[in-house]
Amino acid sequence: MAVTLVSSNRSFKGRQFVYKHASTTTQCDMTFGVYIPDHETDEKRPALFYLSGLTCTHANFMEKSGFQQYASKYRFIVVHPDTSPRGVDVEGDSDSWDFGKGAGFYVNATVEKWAKNYRMYDYIVKELLEDVVPKVAPIDAARVGIFGHSMGGHGAITIGLRNPSKFKSISAFAPICNPITVPWGQKALAGYLGDDQSTWQQYDASEILKAYTGPCRIILIDQGAADNFLEQLKPETLKDTNHAGVIVRMQPEFDHSYYFIATFMEDHFEHHAKHFRSI
Amino acid sequence: MAVTLVSSNRSFKGRQFVYKHASTTTQCDMTFGVYIPDHETDEKRPALFYLSGLTCTHANFMEKSGFQQYASKYRFIVVHPDTSPRGVDVEGDSDSWDFGKGAGFYVNATVEKWAKNYRMYDYIVKELLEDVVPKVAPIDAARVGIFGHSMGGHGAITIGLRNPSKFKSISAFAPICNPITVPWGQKALAGYLGDDQSTWQQYDASEILKAYTGPCRIILIDQGAADNFLEQLKPETLKDTNHAGVIVRMQPEFDHSYYFIATFMEDHFEHHAKHFRSI
C-alpha cells in the first residue's frame, strides 16, 4: 500500500513530514504527520504517538504545539494522526463538532452505520503503528510511547494501557478520563457502540486503569485549572493502583488551548525519555 | 480611545492577549496581539514588535512561532499587529494575496484610493507604539526592538533604521531586502505610492541602510537556503557600512515557513536581549 508524501519542511534538526495513504482499516484516505529527527542511516529512533482532540486534524499539533523543538532535542520520531476518517461521508458525520468527523474517539465502532470506517482504535494500534509508519520512519518498536490532548488524551491512556507491549510510556494533556459518565463520552460511545453500556468500559480510562494488571506504568497528566471543560475531563477519577500510578498536575490559570499544551510539552518529552531509558 | 480585550490565554510564565481598537491612523478597527510576561506591579519590561508577512493576520505568529516560550524566558513584552487595515473595504483590496488586505507593506500610501486607510507605517511607529500599547502593557520605552518575517522583515528593517530613537535593536527572518527591484515590492510600492520611483526608496531596506548615519545597529538576519522566494528577498543587497552591520545567516534546507521561523526564534530573542543589555 503506497504512502504518499504531502509535504516536507525542515524544522529544528529534523524534518516535519505529512503523508497520505489509503487505509485498509478505515476504508478511506488518511493523512498523518511525522517528525523525523536527523539520524544515521539504519539508526532506529524512539517514537511518540500523539493523539489530538475534538475538531482537530493532524495539523493542529504540528502547527501550534511547538513539539518539533523537543523532538529534535530528544531525537524522537513523533507521529500525529488525524482524529477520524475524512475521505468518506457517513450521513450525520458533520452534524456536530463532538461526533463524526474530527471526533472518532479512538474506538472501533460497532453500530452498523459507523462500523465500516470509524475504526480509529485499530487504525492507530495496528495499521499506522505496525504497517504504515515503518515504511516512512525508522522507529524503534521497543521504545514507543503515546500521548495526547483531551479526546486524544483519552485515546492515549486507553490505547496505552490496553497495549502495554506496544506502548511503553503514557502521558496526557487534559484527557477525558471517565467518558462513560460525561456528555462528550456518552454521546460518542452511544453513537459508535450502541446503548449497551457494558461495551463502553473498554474505552474508559478510569475503568481500564482500575482493572489494569500489566507492567508498571506511571502516567503523567497536566491539567489546566482554568480549563472550561474540566467537568467533562474528571482527572480525579484516575486512581493509583499497585500496577499503575497517575501524576496529575493541576496548572493554575491554564485553559484547554494549545498555549497550555505548548507550555508543558517539554516535560512530557522528558517523561517519555525517562521511561525509555529504563527499558 | 478604548482598547477592547478579545482573548486572554495563560502561556508559559505570562499571558497571550488579543486586543481590538478603533484606529485613528487607519480609520478602521485594528486587531493586535500582545504577550505580557509575569511582572511586578509598576515594573516596566522591554518590548519587541513583530511584523508579519504577506497574507498573515496578528494570529499566525501567535499560533505558529512558539515565541511565547522565549518571551517568558527573557521576560519581554511582544506586540504583533495585523498586516493591513481589515475593517474597511477598498475596491481591489482583495483581488490578490500580495496587495491590499494582508499586504499593507508597512507604508503610508499616497495614492488617493489607499491613502485614507493604508497607513501601516504610521500605525506601527506612532499610534500602536506610543498610544495604544502603553494602555495595556507596561513597556519600557527605552528598550524596544523590532523584528519580522518576509514583508514584515522589510517592515522591521525600514521602520527600525528610520526610527532609531524608538527601536533600539533590529532582526528579521527572510526579509524582503530590496523591494524596489523585485515583483512583490514593485507591485506594492507602485500601488500605494504611485509611479514616481523616487518615493519608493524611503521603504527600501537596502537603500535606507546605504544612507544610514544613525546610532550603530547590528541587524541579525536568518534566511532559509531552500526558500522558494529567495529571488524576491535578496539578502545579498544589504551591505555593511560604518554605521550599521548585517549578519546574514543562510540556513541550509530551511524554507520560508513558520517551521523555519520557530527554529531560530530563540537566537533572535538573544540578539535583542544582548543589545538591550548594552543600553
Side-chain angles (χ1 to χ4, degrees), chain B residues 84 90 103 227 275:
Chain B
S84 75
V90 180
D227 186 327
H275 289 260

Side-chain angles (χ1 to χ4, degrees), chain B residues 171-202:
Chain B
S171 73
F173 302 96
I176 302 172
C177 299
N178 193 194
I180 64 176
T181 67
V182 303
W184 275 343
Q186 291 168 340
K187 179 176 177 178
L189 296 171
Y192 294 128
L193 305 178
D195 291 332
D196 177 1
Q197 299 196 12
S198 69
T199 66
W200 298 6
Q201 301 206 353
Q202 61 184 314

